């Protein structure tokens, strides 16, 4: 999969891509992520990417030209993207099923804007999908773009060492994760549950399923299939 990110703050997006799973996935050729500085596509001596909003108001708005030119340059070099995603708090809320669905694409372009906004013509004409990473406001779309990249890349086949691990993530089957323990078996008087040391894989699987259900019931009952019935009654 290829992911191109358009941003006025490339340094903010670059660094996390050079660590951990995202770095390894790129080294293995599972994903190619490229970050593009919108300034490159902003004409004029000052390469200005934003301007004051028409009609007044606080903050600056990203100008349309650098974004249109950036998207066109990427399409010329790499072909049309399957989706052009704009990260915005007023977008559809990102969840695991949207992540899985996005991971099936060959090519995504992510547009990270200032939180004050981007010229509406970009949203009307270029953007195919608007996504939010939660009901809170960040200073820009860069961190949300990274959240999206991390979530998508980790589910790509071959991204993780153990190919089954992404499938056992919390949310992947609608339940939260089971508690995890490592050595030592006893730490400051706290013991690892006996079942996990039993070597009995069936018992371990059953214990994990029970714990996952229990945690989901306690913390996120809304995730359980019968949540709506329970709310209605
Ligand atoms: N930009 C600013 N806040 C955001 C959020 N919560 N999700 C996506 N993009 C954003």
């Amino acid at each position: 999969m290829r992911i191109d990110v358009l941003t006025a703050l490339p340094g903010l997006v670059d660094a996390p891509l050079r660590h951990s799973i995202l770095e390894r996935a790129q080294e293995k050729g599972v994903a190619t992520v490229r970050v593009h500085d919108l300034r490159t596509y902003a004409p004029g001596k000052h390469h200005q990417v934003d301007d004051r909003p028409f009609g007044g108001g606080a903050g600056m708005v990203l100008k349309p030209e650098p974004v249109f030119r950036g998207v066109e340059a990427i399409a010329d070099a790499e072909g049309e993207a399957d989706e052009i995603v704009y990260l915005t708090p007023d977008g559809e809320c990102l969840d695991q099923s949207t992540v899985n669905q996005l991971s099936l694409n060959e090519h995504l372009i992510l547009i990270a804007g200032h939180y004050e906004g981007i010229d509406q013509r970009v949203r009307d004409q270029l953007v195919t999908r608007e996504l939010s990473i939660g009901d809170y406001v960040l200073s820009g779309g860069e961190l949300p773009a990274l959240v999206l990249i991390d979530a998508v890349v980790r589910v790509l086949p071959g991204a993780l060492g153990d190919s089954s691990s992404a499938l056992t993530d919390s949310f992947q089957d609608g339940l939260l994760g089971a508690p995890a323990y490592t050595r030592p078996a006893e730490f400051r008087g706290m013991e690892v549950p006996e079942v996990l040391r039993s070597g009995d894989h069936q018992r371990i699987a059953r214990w994990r399923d029970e714990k996952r259900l229990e945690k989901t019931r306690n913390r996120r009952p809304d995730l359980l299939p019968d949540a709506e019935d329970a709310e209605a009654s």
Side-chain angles (χ1 to χ4, degrees):
M1 163 180 260
R2 182 181 173 101
I3 304 176
D4 290 284
V5 187
L6 279 165
T7 169
L9 300 169
L12 193 53
V13 184
D14 260 334
L17 299 173
R18 287 185 261 112
H19 294 271
S20 187
I21 288 169
L22 286 177
E23 181 186 45
R24 257 177 287 133
Q26 290 177 88
E27 284 169 358
K28 288 198 242 169
V30 168
T32 303
V33 187
R34 292 284 177 268
V35 182
H36 307 264
D37 188 345
L38 278 171
R39 268 170 231 293
T40 316
Y41 306 108
K45 204 167 79 185
H46 301 293
H47 298 287
Q48 191 184 343
V49 293
D50 54 9
D51 209 336
R52 285 167 296 133
F54 274 116
M60 300 287 268
V61 175
L62 273 188
K63 290 161 75 67
E65 185 165 11
V67 186
F68 272 81
R69 288 183 58 199
V71 167
E72 285 155 8
I74 293 166
D76 283 347
E78 305 297 332
E80 299 278 332
D82 300 308
E83 295 267 21
I84 300 180
V85 178
Y86 174 53
L87 285 310
T88 171
D90 56 18
E92 166 203 350
C93 206
L94 187 66
D95 62 12
Q96 191 66 51
S97 89
T98 306
V99 166
N100 295 348
Q101 195 191 329
L102 286 170
S103 77
L104 300 175
N105 290 297
E106 286 294 317
H107 185 194
L108 302 176
I109 295 179
L110 310 184
I111 302 172
H114 297 329
Y115 112 77
E116 290 87 357
I118 191 166
D119 191 284
Q120 183 61 33
R121 290 164 287 190
V122 171
R123 299 173 74 163
D124 293 342
Q125 292 291 318
L126 283 182
V127 169
T128 60
R129 193 143 191 186
E130 301 196 336
L131 293 174
S132 162
I133 63 157
D135 289 339
Y136 43 84
V137 177
L138 299 166
S139 315
E142 285 76 14
L143 298 178
L146 281 166
V147 166
L148 177 59
I149 293 168
D150 189 285
V152 166
V153 169
R154 64 178 283 111
V155 298
L156 293 176
L160 302 184
D162 170 2
S163 60
S164 68
S165 358
L167 293 175
T168 58
D169 280 345
S170 282
F171 290 108
Q172 200 52 270
D173 61 2
L175 293 179
L176 303 182
Y181 296 87
T182 187
R183 275 180 285 269
E186 195 205 312
F187 175 68
R188 299 189 180 176
M190 297 173 281
E191 290 208 359
V192 172
E194 179 275 325
V195 53
L196 294 180
R197 293 180 282 152
S198 68
D200 181 339
H201 297 296
Q202 266 188 348
R203 257 183 82 211
I204 294 172
R206 222 178 311 124
W207 181 87
R208 286 189 170 139
D209 285 348
E210 280 164 22
K211 290 290 172 191
R212 300 184 68 209
L213 199 56
E214 186 182 301
K215 195 197 267 185
T216 309
R217 230 183 255 126
N218 288 335
R219 296 190 177 179
R220 295 294 306 275
D222 57 296
L223 294 177
L224 293 170
D226 52 2
E228 275 171 37
D229 305 346
E231 260 169 46
S233 61

